[in-house]
Amino acid sequence: MYRFGEFALDPRRRTLLRADSPVSLTPKAFDVLFFLLQNPNRLVSKEELLRAVWGDTVVEDGNLTQYISHLRKALGDNSEDARLIVTIARKGYQFAGDVVVSQAALAAQVEGQLTGTERLRTDAQTTPDIPRIEAAPSKSKSWRKAVGVVSSIFILALVGYISWRHYQSTAVPKTRKVMLAVLPFENLTGDPNKEYLADGLTEETISQLGRLNPEQLGVIARTSVMGYKHKDERLDQIGRDLSVQYVLENSLRESGDHLRLTAQLIQVKDQTHLWSQDYDYPAKDVLNVEEDVARAVAHEIRVRLAPQEQAELAQSHLVNPEAFDAYLQGYYYFERDSDRDTELAARYFELATQVDPSYALAWAALSRARLWQLNVNLIPAEEGRRLAREAVERALTLNPNLAEAHSQMGRIQQQIDFDWTGAAASFKRAVALDPGSPGVIRTAAFSAALLGRFDEALPLNRRAIDLDPLNADSWEERGELEYYEGEFAGAEAEFKKALELNPDVAAAHELLARIYLIQGRPHDALPEIEFLRYDAVRGYLYAIVYHALGREKKSDSALSEFIEKYHSGSAYQIAEVYAFRNQTGKAFEWLDRAYTQHDGGLIGTKVNPLLKNLHSDPRFPAFLKKLNLPA
C-alpha cells in the first residue's frame, strides 16, 4: 500500500481507502494520484504528469486542473496551509504529504513503470494521423479492411444474440433483462492510421446488437465502453462499472491479403469463456461470404433464429467499401467535437455520399454535421438549413427505416421549422426503430422536456443512462432536464457527476453558471464561465454575471461587445441577457429577431429559467403561440 495520513492506495486493486472505507475516484483521477504518490515531495511538471497518465493523447491543461480539483475534494484537501497536493504556479504540482510505501507496493511500482512504458509506446503507435481528404481513398488494403468490417458486423451481432439465447435459460431468469458490453476492438493490424476502423467496427457492432431484442437484451453504448480502450481492466470491475453479465471481447488483425476478426463471449460472474471464434476473410471473397458465415454461426450454436433474424439473413448487405471507409473517417472526426474536426467530418461524410450515392447512413450523418455547423456559425444560415434538409430527406428516401435519419429529421423540424408535432413523431419513430440506442433515446427525451413533458422526458433519459452509464453526456443531459424543470439542486449534482466522468463537458460548466446566477451566486458562476472554450458563450454570460454583481457598466460593455460580434447569429442569447436584467421590451425585440433568423436557441423558450421575468407579460404566451409551443 501507499499510505499517507489516514489514506491507503492499492495500485493493484486500484482502490483508495480512508480509514478502511472506499473513496470514489474516476479512473484518470486515480492514475494522477498514483503518479504523484510515486513521486512525493518533488515538483512534477504538468507535461510530465500529462504524459505519464495520458501518453501521447492531446489533453488540455484545464482537464488536468479538473482532476486535481476532484482529487482535493475526495481527499478533503481544503486547507491551503496544509494541502496535500500543492500547486506550483505555471509549473506543476507537488504531493507534500508523507508517503509510506510497503515492499509489495515497491514491486508493483517497478512493474507498473514497465507496463506504463509499454503503454506509452503503444499509445504513440496508435495515434491516428490526420488524413488528406483531398485524395480519394486508396483501393488497396484499407478498403479490404473496411469490407471485412461490414461483413463481420452482422456476424458478431448474431454471435452475441444467439449466444445470449443459448445461455439465458441457465444464466439469469427469463424475466430479467440481460446486459452485454461490447469492448472496443483492438487494432492489431500494425497500422495506427486504421485506428478509426477499429472504433467504427465497435460502434457498428454495438448498433447491430442493440437492435436485435432490446426488450430482453441491453447493449451498453459506445461512449461507456471506449473508456476501456488500451486499458487492462479486470472483467469483474467492468461488470460492476457497467452492470453487465456478459462481455464481448474483439480484435482485428491482418495477414497479407486476409483480415482476421476474433470474438469471445465471456460471462462476467465467473469469467468463463462461453464462446470464441476466429474469422478469416480473403479480400476477394469478403463481399460474398457474409450470409454464409452468419448461417454457419447460427448452425454451430444450434439455435433457431427468430423470423426477424431470418429475414435479415435473406437480405443483401453489400456496401461500397470506399464509401464505408470514408463514413468511418467522418464519424471519427465528428466525435472529436471541435470546429476543425467538424469540418473534416462533413467533408468525409460528403465524400462517402459521392462514392456511394445510395448510402443512406452517410446522408443522415452529413445532415447532422451540416446542422451542427449551422448552430455554431461555421457556415451561413440559409446554406446550412438547405444542406441539412436536403441530406436528411435523401437519407429517408433511400432508407425509410433508418433510425438515425428520423432522429435527424426531428432535429430539423424542431430547430428550423418549429414543427413540434412532426418532430415528436420523428423522434418516436426513431426510438421504435432503434430502442437500444442511447443517443436516439436522449434526443427524444430532450424534445419532450422542451415541451414541458418531464414525466415523459426523465424516464427516457434514465433508459439512456442505463445503456450508457459512463457517458458524461448522459448525465449532463439528465442535469439539463432537471434544470429546465426547475430542480436546480438535482441538476447541479448531475452536472458535477458529468464533470467527474469528463472534465471537458463544456455544457455542464455553462449550465452550472446559469444555476448559480439564478440562485443569486454570481461569484460561483464566474469560475465556471472561465472554463468555457467558446468566446460567444462566455460573452453573453459575462454580461449577465456582471449585472448580478451590480457592476452595470461592465455588464453594458460586455453586452455591447457581444451584440457587435454576434447579433446576426445569437439574437436569442441577447434576449436572455435583457430578460435577466428585467428589460422586457428589449428582450422581446431580440426574441423577434431570433424568430426571423430561425435561431435554434428558440426551442428552449417555454422552459428556459433565464426568461422567467417575461412570463407575466402578455407578449410571452403570444410569442409561444408564434413558435407553435403550448402556453
Side-chain angles (χ1 to χ4, degrees):
M1 294 288 184
Y2 287 72
R3 300 185 183 276
F4 55 99
E6 57 183 333
F7 294 92
L9 181 142
D10 185 338
R12 288 183 178 273
R13 294 187 175 88
R14 292 184 63 81
T15 58
L16 177 67
L17 301 178
R18 180 175 190 171
D20 296 327
S21 297
V23 178
S24 176
L25 291 179
T26 62
K28 287 299 183 188
F30 183 93
D31 293 340
V32 170
L33 178 60
F34 183 28
F35 190 78
L36 291 174
L37 293 178
Q38 291 175 297
N39 299 273
N41 296 305
R42 82 167 179 87
L43 170 62
V44 177
S45 70
K46 292 182 179 180
E47 294 76 12
E48 181 182 2
L49 190 52
L50 288 169
R51 184 166 183 81
V53 176
W54 281 272
D56 290 336
T57 303
V58 178
V59 179
E60 299 283 346
D61 284 353
N63 287 3
L64 180 56
T65 302
Q66 280 287 315
Y67 282 114
I68 293 293
S69 175
H70 171 53
L71 282 173
R72 284 175 173 155
K73 290 178 181 177
L75 299 174
D77 194 15
N78 300 318
S79 172
E80 291 286 353
D81 297 330
R83 177 154 279 177
L84 290 171
I85 302 175
V86 178
T87 301
I88 310 299
R90 296 180 300 279
K91 297 291 184 181
Y93 302 95
Q94 178 178 337
F95 191 87
D98 294 327
V99 181
V100 178
V101 187
S102 69
Q103 289 299 317
L106 287 173
Q109 180 175 346
V110 173
E111 179 184 337
Q113 289 171 343
L114 291 174
T115 304
T117 302
E118 290 297 323
R119 184 177 70 247
L120 290 178
R121 187 179 299 121
T122 302
D123 288 345
Q125 291 173 348
T126 57
T127 301
D129 297 330
I130 296 176
R132 296 178 62 186
I133 187 72
E134 291 78 13
S138 169
K139 295 185 179 180
S140 60
K141 292 182 180 179
S142 80
W143 76 261
R144 294 170 185 170
K145 290 193 208 65
V147 174
V149 167
V150 178
S151 301
S152 68
I153 288 169
F154 189 72
I155 295 166
L156 289 175
L158 284 171
V159 166
Y161 180 63
I162 293 168
S163 299
W164 160 69
R165 290 184 62 174
H166 180 68
Y167 289 101
Q168 68 170 334
S169 61
T170 58
V172 294
K174 291 185 178 181
T175 56
R176 180 182 174 188
K177 188 173 186 176
V178 175
M179 297 299 296
L180 169 72
V182 179
L183 294 186
F185 271 74
E186 280 191 273
N187 174 24
L188 304 178
T189 64
D191 184 355
N193 291 324
K194 296 304 176 186
E195 195 69 20
Y196 74 92
L197 200 62
D199 291 350
L201 179 54
T202 304
E203 169 70 18
E204 290 299 320
T205 304
I206 290 170
S207 179
Q208 292 286 347
L209 284 167
R211 294 188 179 109
L212 283 178
N213 195 331
E215 295 301 318
Q216 297 181 28
L217 175 65
V219 184
I220 299 299
R222 173 187 182 276
T223 314
S224 288
V225 298
M226 289 306 285
Y228 299 103
K229 185 176 179 179
H230 303 317
K231 184 177 180 181
D232 296 326
E233 185 66 84
R234 290 168 53 123
L235 282 176
D236 56 351
Q237 185 61 51
I238 294 174
R240 287 192 293 270
D241 290 346
L242 302 176
S243 299
V244 297
Q245 295 93 38
Y246 299 95
V247 166
L248 191 67
E249 288 187 336
N250 311 280
S251 64
L252 185 65
R253 294 176 174 85
E254 71 173 344
S255 177
D257 290 334
H258 283 69
L259 183 71
R260 167 169 288 192
L261 295 105
T262 300
Q264 302 179 79
L265 185 68
I266 304 171
Q267 186 168 262
V268 172
K269 67 178 182 180
D270 52 10
Q271 299 187 35
T272 55
H273 286 64
L274 303 178
W275 176 88
S276 179
Q277 184 66 49
D278 293 330
Y279 295 97
D280 289 297
Y281 297 97
K284 63 184 180 64
D285 294 336
V286 290
L287 286 176
N288 302 319
V289 301
E290 175 185 287
E291 294 177 7
D292 293 340
V293 175
R295 289 192 180 94
V297 172
H299 177 74
E300 185 68 23
I301 303 298
R302 298 182 185 280
V303 175
R304 291 181 59 190
L305 296 179
Q308 180 180 350
E309 282 73 57
Q310 292 176 351
E312 284 287 333
L313 278 178
Q315 296 177 5
S316 175
H317 294 280
L318 296 180
V319 176
N320 183 292
E322 293 181 7
F324 187 68
D325 188 85
Y327 168 78
L328 289 182
Q329 293 268 26
Y331 184 87
Y332 174 80
Y333 284 104
F334 190 74
E335 288 294 301
R336 287 164 62 121
D337 190 23
S338 74
D339 290 354
R340 181 175 180 275
D341 290 325
T342 301
E343 173 61 25
L344 273 173
R347 291 164 70 186
Y348 272 114
F349 291 143
E350 189 170 31
L351 177 61
T353 64
Q354 291 170 351
V355 173
D356 184 358
S358 66
Y359 196 0
L361 185 61
W363 284 106
L366 177 60
S367 175
R368 190 171 182 190
R370 294 306 189 196
L371 186 62
W372 182 251
Q373 289 178 307
L374 165 66
N375 288 337
V376 294
N377 296 314
L378 294 179
I379 56 177
E382 192 62 37
E383 178 187 6
R385 289 193 288 268
R386 176 180 58 81
L387 291 174
R389 190 185 301 277
E390 288 176 353
V392 75
E393 288 177 347
R394 183 70 174 272
L396 286 169
T397 299
L398 291 167
N399 186 354
N401 293 321
L402 184 63
E404 291 86 347
H406 284 280
S407 191
Q408 176 60 15
M409 177 56 83
R411 293 186 186 97
I412 289 175
Q413 290 168 318
Q414 194 178 70
Q415 298 176 30
I416 297 177
D417 302 335
F418 307 131
D419 177 7
W420 298 94
T421 302
S426 293
F427 292 135
K428 184 177 181 180
R429 177 64 174 155
V431 172
L433 288 168
D434 196 356
S437 169
V440 168
I441 295 170
R442 285 201 306 265
T443 304
F446 187 70
S447 174
L450 294 177
L451 295 171
R453 299 204 300 258
F454 297 103
D455 56 338
E456 177 184 339
L458 292 169
L460 280 170
N461 180 267
R462 181 73 256 175
R463 281 174 57 188
I465 290 176
D466 289 342
L467 291 168
D468 207 359
L470 299 185
N471 185 351
D473 290 337
S474 294
W475 293 98
E476 183 278 323
E477 291 189 23
R478 177 77 175 188
E480 195 164 354
L481 299 186
E482 293 180 351
Y483 165 77
Y484 285 133
E485 192 180 19
E487 297 291 338
F488 299 129
E492 180 180 356
E494 306 295 11
F495 293 142
K496 289 180 177 179
K497 183 174 181 63
L499 291 170
E500 285 183 9
L501 290 168
N502 179 8
D504 203 32
V505 182
H509 288 297
E510 178 185 353
L511 288 158
L512 276 174
R514 286 167 166 253
I515 287 174
Y516 296 149
L517 286 166
I518 292 167
Q519 293 177 332
R521 301 160 58 188
H523 290 287
D524 291 329
L526 272 173
E528 301 298 335
I529 297 173
E530 291 167 4
F531 275 112
L532 301 176
R533 293 191 300 261
Y534 300 106
D535 292 340
V537 181
R538 285 199 305 269
Y540 89 91
L541 286 175
Y542 275 135
I544 295 176
V545 77
Y546 288 139
H547 169 77
L549 289 168
R551 300 163 69 176
E552 297 301 338
K553 288 185 178 180
K554 292 207 70 171
S555 177
D556 289 340
S557 176
L559 180 56
S560 296
E561 182 180 351
F562 186 83
I563 292 174
E564 182 179 354
K565 289 182 178 179
Y566 304 110
H567 65 276
S568 63
S570 298
Y572 183 74
Q573 284 72 30
I574 297 169
E576 285 183 298
V577 178
Y578 280 122
F580 189 86
R581 300 198 324 182
N582 210 20
Q583 295 174 269
T584 56
K586 286 285 189 180
F588 281 108
E589 176 186 334
W590 281 96
L591 282 176
D592 287 333
R593 292 195 189 189
Y595 180 83
T596 301
Q597 297 171 5
H598 284 266
D599 192 316
L602 286 168
I603 62 176
T605 301
K606 176 180 172 66
V607 292
N608 186 351
L610 289 183
L611 301 181
K612 185 178 180 181
N613 288 334
L614 306 182
H615 288 187
S616 60
D617 193 298
R619 287 173 289 184
F620 189 72
F623 190 73
L624 292 181
K625 185 177 181 180
K626 192 175 180 180
L627 294 174
N628 299 319
L629 283 166

